[in-house]
Every structure is written in C-alpha cells, then in structure tokens.
C-alpha cells in the first residue's frame, strides 16, 4: 500500500510579492515553508527574504491569518541553502515570468528535489511543456503548472496545468492538497497561453474595450455597465485593469497575440493606443497611483481619451437600460438589450454575444469541460455566473440562434461558425455534469476523496443541491438533517440576522436534538454566518416606552446561548464569513466551533452604542477564571476588554482562536465547503467518547473593582488623546464592569447567572441613552456606524 501524499514541509522559490504571499498561506495552514531567493551581499545572505517576510506583516489585505504565523516561514538562498530542498514534499517556483530565468533556476535545483516530491511552477501563462524540456525524464512526470491568483490567500481559484508527461497521481494529489489543506477551488487547464481564467477573462476585457469604443461610450459608463449591475466584480473593467496593472494586462494580451497566431480573434489581441500611451508614460494603474483612474485630492478622476487629461466622472446610464438590468429574468434582459436601439444596450448585447462565441469556440482547446471555464471565471474574476451559465440562464437555444444570426449578418467580431457541439447540446450544465467537447458527454466532478468532504460544493446553474429532510421550518429558521442522526439549524433571515423567532428556533433545535439526534450544528447555506441581532424591534420598543419588552428579548438571547452551552448533546457552531455579535456569542457558548479560515469574528456591539448581552461577556469572565485558577486574572481580562470595547473583528478564524475569542478546541477548516462535514464528524467524535454537558459554574473568580479601575485608566488616556468620545467611554466602562464582575472585591466568586443579570442590566441602561439610540438608528438606515 502506497503512503498517502502529505505535505509536511514545502518550499517556495522566489520571495517576490507572489512567492512570499503563497508562502504566507502555507504558513496559515500550519505548514512549515522554506522561502528561497537570491543571496544578498554582506553578512546577512537572506536579507532579501527577511525583508519580504517582514513586509507580509504590513501588507493589505493581510496575507497572514495572524502576524506571529511568520515563524513557520524559513528564509533561504540559492547560494548556501539548496540542501534544504531535500527535506520538502512540494516545491513551487514563483520567480519572474521569463522562460530563460525559470529554466536556469531549474538547472540549478533539479538534483536537490527528492523523488517523491511534487515540483510545480506558478506561472500565469508560460508553456508548461516548454519549461519541462530542461528536466531529466524522471522529473518530468512530477512537474506541472500551478497558477495561484493574486492575492493568493483570498483568491479562491488555482489552475493546475499538467504537461504531456505529468503523472495523473501528481495531479490528483496536488488537487486534494490545494482543495482541502489550502482551501482552494481547483480547475484543470490545458497548456495553452494564459490557460483558462486569464484567457477568457482578458478576452472579455479586450471585447469590452473594443465595443465600448465602437459605441462611443465614456470609460466610466463602461465601468458602470460592466460591474455589479450585470453580476460582475465592483471593479468592473477599467478599475480591474488598474488594479492588475496596465503593464501586466498588456503582457497578458501580448502572450495571446504571440502565442496564438492561428486564433481567429488574433487581430483583436492588442490594447488601444490610448492605453498603450498610458503604459509608455508610466501610468500603470494603482501601483503608480495613476492609470485609467487617478486620485486628485479626495476625488477619483478618469482619463478622457480625447483630451488625454483626467476629468471628473459622469457615469450616465440610460434609464431604459437601468430598468432592463433590474429584471432578474436573464432571458428577458438579453432579449430587451438585443432589441433596443440604445448604444448602451447594443454595447452590452455585443459584449455578451462575442464572449459566448469565443468561449464556445475555444472550449475544447483550453478546458476539459464547461464547469472548469465557468468556475475559473467566477473564482478568478469575481463574476456571479460564468459565460456558459449566463448563456444557459438566458435560454440556450434562443441565444444560440441570436449568435448564429449575428455571425451570418457580419455583426460579430469574427464570422467563424459556432462549433457543432453548441447545436447538438441543449445546455452547458446538467445535474449529471458539465459538457465536455472532447468526449461529447457531460462530465461529473473528479472522483476524488476530497470532493466527498464537500457536502454542498459550489454548484453550476444546472445543479440543484439537496438540502436534506426538514424537521421544522418557518420564515426565520429551518431545522433539517441529511438522513442521518445530526440536526442542522440554518437561519432564513436576510444576512442571517438573529431575530426573536431565530432565538426561539435555536432553543427548539436544542430540544429536538436532545430528543432525537446525536448533536446539533448551526450552519448557514451561504455566507455570512450572521450580521448579529435585529435591533429594529428593540429600537421601536424603547420609542414606545416598553423597556420590559427589550429586557425580555435580551433574556431570551441569553437563554438561547445557555441552551447551546448546557445541551445534553454536543452543539457546534460552524461559521464562515462575517460572524458578528450574537453569532460570536453563540460560538463562545456552544460545545465547540468548526470555523472556516475565512471567518471574521467579533463582538461589535460597542459600534452601535451597546455591550454584548447574549452571554459573551459572561463567557469571557468565566473562561478567564477557568484558565487561571490562581494568579493574576487582569492581563487576560484587559486583552478581552480592548477587543470588545474597540469592537475588533478578527481577520481570520485562526486569529479569533489566537485571541481566545473562540474556544481552544475550535477546528479551523480552510475550504469553506468542508466546514459542515468536519462539524458533523466532530459531533460523532464527541458522542463516541461519551459527551457530557458542563455543569453551571458558580465559582467564577473575577477581578472586581481593582480591574475596573485599571480599565478606566486606559479609557482616561484614550479620552485625553481624543481617541474616543464621551459616549464611547460610557459604553466601555459598562463593558469593563461586566467582565470584571461588577462592584465587588478582587478575587470574589460569582455565578454565571449573576454575570448574565449584570450584562442585561447594563445593556438596558445603554439602550435607553439618546446617543445609543442615535447610533442604532443611523446604522439601521445606512449600514454604517456613527461616532457621537
């Protein structure tokens, strides 16, 4: 029996921005990684690498789950440290995008790679087969391309590109590692220039620019039309180009121009003169603070391609077009765009038509199936649907006939006929799989163990997930199971806001789980986990003078958290995405947590003028007492106080665990689609080892008055430095009072219920204050906090 492939240690060759951030994400996953670069002159041979590692702690968005994780990154150089390659299981080369430099490095390191290791090149478009030419035959079989998107931590897409000789086991092992350990969405690409995502995505940019100029649309109007209005990233077209870098975009376009001489669209593989003029002038986009856009003072201006000057934006969209784009029926939307005489409508239809034409024509040459193309564009460019999904959503046969008609009439960019498969098939995606032009069949996902962990993988338009058997259902919450003995609770409210009905539903779920199931998992079918409690009813109750109703609601919240804590069967909160306020408090009180790495967790109530009163502050005091049976409690209490008073949100699930905001027994899962699987397995494990619920804690040691006094000194200094308002002070003092245990002596012993009562009492004080009410009202209206 062969040993399962396992990456115990990795090496990244190249400590530039991309290489360093790939190394950072390996470290996030707990994998020691050796980061190589050129040796420096002087005493510190690793000066280049050490500088790159230091920059990781300052980069935005943060490449690190928390800053101390850099201890897993070991600096090394090619001059003195090549022996370190012999101890790694995976080598990823990420040096500059030049064939000669990469091949030269391969000659230097090929004898240091152990036989069972995988070697991959991170390239955005160079030929993998050409790179492999320098290797001995044995190494060719374990070499492939692996294309991370920037920034590597946050971009879900990774393309794997095998050579003609890459062993299939290498591809399978790498797929499982990238998917589960690093949390990525993997697609297999063919070894063609720019692979899948950049090939289709960059053509879409070229196509959009071409038609924008053809229909004489201002640049800001093009961006307004090709962003969130049509389900694409907010950065749309030209902002995306600026962020990527106009020079990088030009390099990618030239790769297609030079590498695809026989492509029917080859004559369009260039940027317009006004864009190349910007590049020549050094205006490369965001990295040079000027590109298509330029910030002048507080205003972001846009280039006027006629005057070559930057001017104020005026992104006018025809009212007719806005009304068309508001229609959620994609068939009606495309029909109306195609039939409209508006330049903006014809621009959009032409852009869609030529994108569909191009993607269908090149399917067989660049991808195994339509799923890989659509996922690549969704994950790599931030579209809500890939091109084949939009086409299918609009009506496959209808759109096919429109494209065919436009080709015959000479309206499309080229007059090549659609491929036969488009006419032979009535869809790109079905429940059985996605269309493969090579096999003329619908292909299911690869049969790999890692995909069985994804109980609800990302679906295509042709798939409908099966969300199990309903145990209870109302407008606010659904309790269900997957024909097994684990109950799942999922909120149905907008943004998964916690309403009174949700609270009652959770309490009901605990009772049902205790009667009929091994345990309970709180898990949402989509992100976020929750934005926190619904404050609108409380605001109205205070306006009506019904303070008792608010106190009753807070008590219900607390009892819900306590129900999760004292359940007779294990309860697990399984968050992904934003997990704020009450969602954090549920996580603190439940038996355990299985969190996605990309979970952003925090007690944020101070931002709306309140304190957490769903058992979160009680848990801070209780757990601190539990962790420190003797000695000084205050340093840990102060740590939590700063987190809560400043309404801090973790940058990852790992950081929330490091903060001790969620329990030490928390499991961090890197692929969000595996969170539910791991949570269910943890329920089974807890049950198998004889789970017993905790006993109510009446022995909580607190810091008392002395701790409150110390925290007030911190607040006084912040007030003196104008870092907080007087009302911020009022909120923070009450937070300090609860987690310190109130007006009692140091080392006094209190109970959970005492702390819950204190939470509730001080919450009610705050919610009656005019400035808190103003904060809540402002947040409900604008979605933004108010500092008053």
């Amino acid at each position: 029996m062969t040993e399962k492939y396992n990456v115990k240690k990795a090496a990244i060759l190249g400590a530039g921005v991309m290489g360093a951030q790939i190394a950072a994400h390996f470290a996030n996953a707990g994998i020691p990684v050796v980061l190589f670069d050129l040796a420096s002159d002087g005493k510190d041979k690793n000066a280049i690498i050490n500088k790159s590692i230091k920059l990781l702690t300052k980069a935005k968005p943060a490449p690190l789950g928390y800053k101390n994780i850099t201890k897993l990154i070991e600096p090394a150089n090619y001059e003195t440290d090549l022996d370190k390659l012999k101890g790694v299981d995976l080598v990823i080369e990420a040096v500059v995008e030049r064939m000669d430099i990469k091949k030269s490095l391969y000659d230097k390191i090929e004898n240091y790679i152990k036989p069972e290791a995988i070697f991959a090149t991170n390239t955005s478009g160079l030929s993998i087969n050409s790179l492999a030419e320098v290797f001995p035959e044995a190494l060719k079989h374990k070499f492939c391309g692996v294309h991370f998107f920037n920034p590597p931590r946050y971009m879900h897409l990774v393309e794997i590109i095998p050579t003609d000789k890459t062993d299939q086991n290498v591809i399978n092992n790498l797929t499982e590692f990238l998917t589960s350990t690093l949390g990525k969405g993997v697609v297999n690409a063919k070894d063609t220039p720019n692979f899948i995502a950049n090939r289709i995505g960059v053509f879409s940019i070229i196509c959009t620019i071409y038609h924008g100029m053809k229909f004489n649309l201002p640049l800001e109007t093009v961006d307004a039309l090709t962003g969130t209005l049509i389900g694409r990233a907010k950065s749309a077209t030209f902002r995306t180009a600026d962020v990527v870098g106009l020079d990088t975009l030009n390099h990618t376009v030239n790769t297609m121009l030079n590498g695809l001489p026989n492509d029917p669209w080859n004559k369009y593989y260039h940027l317009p003169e006004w864009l190349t003029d910007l590049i020549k002038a050094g205006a490369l986009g965001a990295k040079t603070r000027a590109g298509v856009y330029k910030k002048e003072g507080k205003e972001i201006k846009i280039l006027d391609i006629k005057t070559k000057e930057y001017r104020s934006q005026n992104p006018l969209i025809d009212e007719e077009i806005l009304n068309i784009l508001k229609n959620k029926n994609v068939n009606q939307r495309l029909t109306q765009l195609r039939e409209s005489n508006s330049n903006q409508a014809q621009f959009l239809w032409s852009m869609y038509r030529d994108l569909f034409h191009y993607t269908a024509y090149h399917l067989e040459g660049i991808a195994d199936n339509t799923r890989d193309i659509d996922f690549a564009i969704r994950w790599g460019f931030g579209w809500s649907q890939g091109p084949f999904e939009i086409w299918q959503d609009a009506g496959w046969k209808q759109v096919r006939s429109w494209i065919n008609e436009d080709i015959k009439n000479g309206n499309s960019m080229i007059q090549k006929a659609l491929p036969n498969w488009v006419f032979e098939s009535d869809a790109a995606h079905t429940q059985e799989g996605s269309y493969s032009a090579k096999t003329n069949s619908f292909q299911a996902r690869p049969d790999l163990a890692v995909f069985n962990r994804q109980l609800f993988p990302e679906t295509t338009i042709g798939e409908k997930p099966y969300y199990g058997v309903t145990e209870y259902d109302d407008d606010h919450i659904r309790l269900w199971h997957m024909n097994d003995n684990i109950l799942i609770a999922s909120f149905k409210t907008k943004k998964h806001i916690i309403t009174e009905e949700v609270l009652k539903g959770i309490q009901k779920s605990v009772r049902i789980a205790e009667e009929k199931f091994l345990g309970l998992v709180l898990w949402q079918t989509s992100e976020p986990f929750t934005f926190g409690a619904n404050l609108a009813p409380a605001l109205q109750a205070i306006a009506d003078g019904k303070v008792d109703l608010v106190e009753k609601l807070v008590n219900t919240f607390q009892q819900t958290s306590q129900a999760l804590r004292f359940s007779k069967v294990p309860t697990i909160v399984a968050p992904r995405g934003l997990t704020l306020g009450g969602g954090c408090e549920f996580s603190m009180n439940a038996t355990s947590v299985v969190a996605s790495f990309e979970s952003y967790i925090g007690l944020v109530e101070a931002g709306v003028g309140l304190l957490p009163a769903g058992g979160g502050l009680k848990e801070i005091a209780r757990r601190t007492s539990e962790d420190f049976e003797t000695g000084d409690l205050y340093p840990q209490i102060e740590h939590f106080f700063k987190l809560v008073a400043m309404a801090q949100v973790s940058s990852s699930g790992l950081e929330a665990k490091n903060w001790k905001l969620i329990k030490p027994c928390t499991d961090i899962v890197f692929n969000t689609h595996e969170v539910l699987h791991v949570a269910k397995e943890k329920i089974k494990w807890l049950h198998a080892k004889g789970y017993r619920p905790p006993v109510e804690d009446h022995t909580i040691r607190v810091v008392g008055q002395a701790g409150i006094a110390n925290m007030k000194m911190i607040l006084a200094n912040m007030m003196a430095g104008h870092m907080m308002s007087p009302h911020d002070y009022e909120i923070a003092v009450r937070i300090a009072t609860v987690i310190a245990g109130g007006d009692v002596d140091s080392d006094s012993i209190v109970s959970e219920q005492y702390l819950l009562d204190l939470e509730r009492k001080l919450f009610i004080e705050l919610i009656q204050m005019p400035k808190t009410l103003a904060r809540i009202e402002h947040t409900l209206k604008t979605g933004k906090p108010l500092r008053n």
Side-chain angles (χ1 to χ4, degrees):
M1 181 177 175
T2 56
E3 184 180 348
K4 187 178 187 299
Y5 178 71
N6 184 23
V7 180
K8 301 182 186 74
K9 193 171 188 177
I12 308 297
L13 310 181
V17 172
M18 200 66 184
Q21 292 207 17
I22 293 171
H25 200 53
F26 274 75
N28 286 334
I31 299 170
V33 57
V34 187
L35 180 61
F36 279 84
D37 212 300
L38 297 171
S40 302
D41 296 330
K43 291 182 180 180
D44 183 6
K45 291 287 186 182
N46 293 327
I48 293 172
I49 307 96
N50 287 326
K51 182 180 179 181
S52 292
I53 294 171
K54 188 175 181 180
L55 288 172
L56 289 172
T57 63
K58 301 175 182 178
K60 298 291 181 182
L64 300 167
Y66 68 98
K67 291 183 180 180
N68 290 346
I69 208 74
T70 54
K71 64 188 178 185
L72 290 176
I73 305 176
E74 178 185 355
N77 66 81
Y78 305 126
E79 187 177 302
T80 63
D81 298 324
L82 287 180
D83 274 343
K84 292 180 180 180
L85 285 173
K86 295 177 180 178
V88 306
D89 307 293
L90 172 62
V91 180
I92 295 179
E93 168 269 304
V95 301
V96 67
E97 286 282 87
R98 274 181 49 183
M99 187 77 73
D100 58 334
I101 292 176
K102 288 179 183 285
K103 285 186 173 182
S104 175
L105 178 60
Y106 298 170
D107 284 336
K108 186 181 293 186
I109 57 99
E110 65 182 35
N111 293 328
Y112 294 88
I113 300 172
K114 66 182 183 181
E116 60 271 29
I118 293 174
F119 182 37
T121 174
N122 181 68
T123 174
S124 60
L126 294 179
S127 169
I128 311 302
N129 280 289
S130 295
L131 286 169
E133 289 172 355
V134 299
F135 289 132
E137 199 65 25
L139 194 52
K140 288 180 180 179
H141 295 283
K142 58 181 183 179
F143 176 72
C144 65
V146 54
H147 180 206
F148 285 82
F149 274 62
N150 193 23
R153 170 184 167 183
Y154 298 96
M155 295 300 289
H156 191 54
L157 176 65
V158 173
E159 294 173 316
I160 294 179
I161 312 97
T163 70
D164 295 338
K165 295 187 176 181
T166 306
D167 192 305
Q168 186 60 45
N169 285 331
V170 167
I171 302 304
N172 293 346
N173 288 334
L174 196 54
T175 297
E176 295 215 353
F177 168 76
L178 291 168
T179 301
S180 195
T181 306
L182 295 190
K184 296 303 173 186
V186 174
V187 301
N188 290 325
K190 298 188 179 181
D191 188 17
T192 58
N194 293 341
F195 313 131
I196 298 176
N198 279 345
R199 176 76 175 273
I200 302 300
V202 169
F203 173 78
S204 177
I205 291 173
I206 293 169
C207 175
T208 300
I209 294 172
Y210 171 79
H211 287 299
M213 294 178 68
K214 177 181 175 182
F215 289 101
N216 200 30
L217 300 183
L219 303 186
E220 67 267 45
T221 298
V222 170
D223 265 7
L225 288 169
T226 58
T228 54
L229 272 177
I230 61 170
R232 296 188 183 179
K234 187 179 180 181
S235 55
T237 301
F238 293 113
R239 280 192 185 278
T240 296
D242 268 1
V243 170
V244 168
L246 300 184
D247 54 338
T248 302
L249 175 63
N250 193 48
H251 170 77
T252 309
V253 172
N254 283 334
T255 297
M256 293 162 69
L257 176 68
N258 299 322
L260 299 164
N262 299 320
D263 189 324
W265 282 267
N266 181 271
K267 63 182 178 181
Y268 294 104
Y269 292 159
H270 60 82
L271 296 181
E273 185 179 353
W274 63 267
L275 257 175
T276 56
D277 285 345
L278 283 175
I279 296 169
K280 291 174 185 174
L284 307 179
K287 59 189 172 186
T288 60
R289 299 186 179 182
V292 180
Y293 290 90
K294 183 181 181 182
K295 189 172 183 180
E296 294 184 359
K298 293 185 177 180
E299 185 181 7
I300 298 175
K301 293 186 174 181
I302 195 163
L303 184 74
D304 188 311
I305 60 177
K306 293 179 181 177
T307 66
K308 303 296 191 331
E309 300 290 331
Y310 291 95
R311 57 167 174 76
S312 297
Q313 297 183 54
N314 186 25
L316 294 176
I317 301 179
D318 298 343
E319 187 174 348
E320 174 201 0
I321 306 306
L322 281 174
N323 290 331
I324 291 173
L325 296 179
K326 286 176 184 176
N327 190 342
K328 293 183 179 180
N329 185 305
V330 183
N331 176 267
Q332 293 175 12
R333 194 189 312 163
L334 285 192
T335 301
Q336 291 167 356
L337 288 174
R338 188 169 188 269
E339 292 176 351
S340 171
N341 292 321
S342 161
N343 270 8
Q344 293 181 7
Q346 286 304 304
F347 157 74
L348 284 170
W349 161 247
S350 300
M351 180 192 71
Y352 277 126
R353 175 200 62 220
D354 288 314
L355 174 63
F356 296 157
H357 187 189
Y358 184 88
T359 310
Y361 187 91
H362 287 297
L363 169 62
E364 185 171 358
I366 65 175
D368 291 336
N369 54 62
T370 54
R371 178 178 55 252
D372 282 347
I373 285 184
D374 281 345
F375 280 175
I377 293 299
R378 277 161 54 174
W379 297 338
F381 280 80
W383 295 14
S384 59
Q385 289 183 311
F388 287 121
E389 290 181 299
I390 301 168
W391 181 344
Q392 185 167 326
D393 205 9
W396 188 264
K397 292 181 179 179
Q398 178 65 79
V399 172
R400 179 178 69 197
S401 67
W402 287 339
I403 298 171
N404 211 30
E405 183 180 333
D406 279 10
I407 292 171
K408 289 178 179 177
N409 292 335
N411 296 326
S412 55
M413 289 174 77
I414 68 161
Q415 278 64 62
K416 283 280 185 181
L418 284 167
N420 290 335
W421 75 264
V422 171
F423 299 93
E424 295 167 357
S425 177
D426 291 336
H429 306 284
T430 67
Q431 193 70 34
E432 290 70 39
S434 297
Y435 185 79
S436 166
K438 183 177 181 180
T439 64
N440 191 28
S441 65
F442 288 88
Q443 288 186 346
R445 284 173 175 78
D447 185 21
L448 297 176
V450 67
F451 295 118
N452 294 328
R453 294 164 57 88
Q454 298 184 14
L455 302 182
F456 295 96
E458 194 143 347
T459 57
T460 65
I461 192 174
E463 299 171 293
K464 291 183 179 179
Y466 169 65
Y467 285 108
V469 178
T470 299
E471 190 73 20
Y472 171 81
D473 191 29
D474 62 26
D475 291 339
H476 296 258
I477 196 167
R478 178 174 180 251
L479 312 181
W480 54 286
H481 60 87
M482 299 178 68
N483 294 301
D484 56 16
N485 46 14
I486 296 171
L487 187 64
I488 303 166
S490 302
F491 307 169
K492 295 170 66 177
T493 50
K494 186 177 181 181
K495 303 293 184 184
H496 302 134
I497 289 293
I498 302 167
T499 62
E500 183 176 8
E501 291 79 5
V502 166
L503 294 172
K504 291 176 179 177
I506 294 173
Q507 292 186 26
K508 186 181 186 74
S509 71
V510 172
R511 294 194 298 270
I512 293 174
E514 289 176 332
E515 293 169 7
K516 300 170 60 176
F517 295 89
L518 298 182
L520 169 68
V521 178
L522 266 60
W523 176 81
Q524 315 295 15
T525 58
S526 61
E527 295 183 24
F529 184 78
T530 179
F531 273 19
N534 181 14
L535 294 173
L539 189 68
Q540 186 60 51
I542 294 297
D544 295 341
K546 297 177 180 178
V547 179
D548 58 322
L549 289 181
V550 179
E551 187 163 7
K552 182 181 176 184
L553 181 59
V554 175
N555 183 62
T556 301
F557 216 123
Q558 293 178 336
Q559 295 313 308
T560 303
S561 291
Q562 293 294 84
L564 291 169
R565 174 161 151 71
F566 294 113
S567 168
K568 295 174 186 175
V569 294
T571 59
I572 291 184
V573 177
R576 46 186 178 153
L578 285 168
T579 306
L580 305 179
C584 179
E585 291 181 289
F586 292 158
S587 300
M588 297 171 79
N589 280 279
T591 306
S592 191
V593 176
V594 174
S596 165
F597 177 73
E598 297 300 348
S599 295
Y600 315 112
I601 303 172
L603 296 171
V604 295
E605 287 82 355
V608 288
L610 296 168
L611 58 76
L617 299 185
K618 175 268 296 180
E619 273 300 288
I620 287 173
R622 188 193 68 77
R623 280 201 259 140
T624 302
S625 172
E626 184 177 72
D627 291 344
F628 299 92
E629 293 183 4
T630 59
D632 189 4
L633 298 171
Y634 180 74
Q636 186 71 1
I637 287 293
E638 182 185 299
H639 158 74
F640 282 119
F641 168 66
K642 290 176 179 177
L643 290 181
V644 181
M646 303 304 293
Q648 291 192 54
V649 178
S650 71
S651 64
S652 68
L654 197 61
E655 185 170 58
K657 183 177 179 179
N658 190 52
W659 283 352
K660 298 186 178 180
L661 197 58
I662 49 180
K663 296 182 176 183
C665 63
T666 295
D667 291 292
I668 304 299
V669 177
F670 273 66
N671 195 305
T672 60
H673 298 295
E674 295 183 13
V675 168
L676 181 58
H677 166 80
V678 177
K680 292 178 72 173
E681 291 299 310
K682 191 163 189 177
I683 290 279
K684 294 174 188 176
W685 174 74
L686 287 166
H687 176 78
K689 76 185 189 80
Y691 177 76
R692 293 292 180 269
V695 177
E696 187 173 354
D697 197 342
H698 295 276
T699 62
I700 301 169
R701 186 165 65 98
V702 294
V703 296
Q705 296 165 332
I708 296 171
N710 286 339
M711 286 182 270
K712 281 184 174 179
M713 288 176 61
I714 294 171
L715 297 176
N717 289 334
M718 292 180 72
M719 285 280 287
H722 305 288
M723 297 169 66
M724 63 173 14
S725 69
H727 191 53
D728 290 327
Y729 179 88
E730 292 294 335
I731 300 159
V733 164
R734 285 165 175 79
I735 291 169
T737 301
V738 178
I739 62 175
D743 189 17
V744 297
D745 293 336
S746 294
D747 291 332
S748 292
I749 303 299
V750 300
S751 68
E752 290 189 50
Q753 191 56 53
Y754 165 84
L755 291 169
L756 289 172
D757 291 342
L758 191 57
E759 270 188 2
R760 193 167 62 253
K761 175 179 178 293
L762 298 184
F763 180 95
I764 295 300
E765 284 184 10
L766 284 171
I767 202 169
Q768 295 181 82
M769 293 182 177
K771 288 191 175 181
T772 285
L773 293 172
R775 287 191 180 193
I776 295 172
E777 187 173 3
H778 183 269
T779 301
L780 289 173
K781 283 183 178 179
T782 68
K784 299 177 181 178
L786 171 69
R787 292 294 302 276
N788 57 358

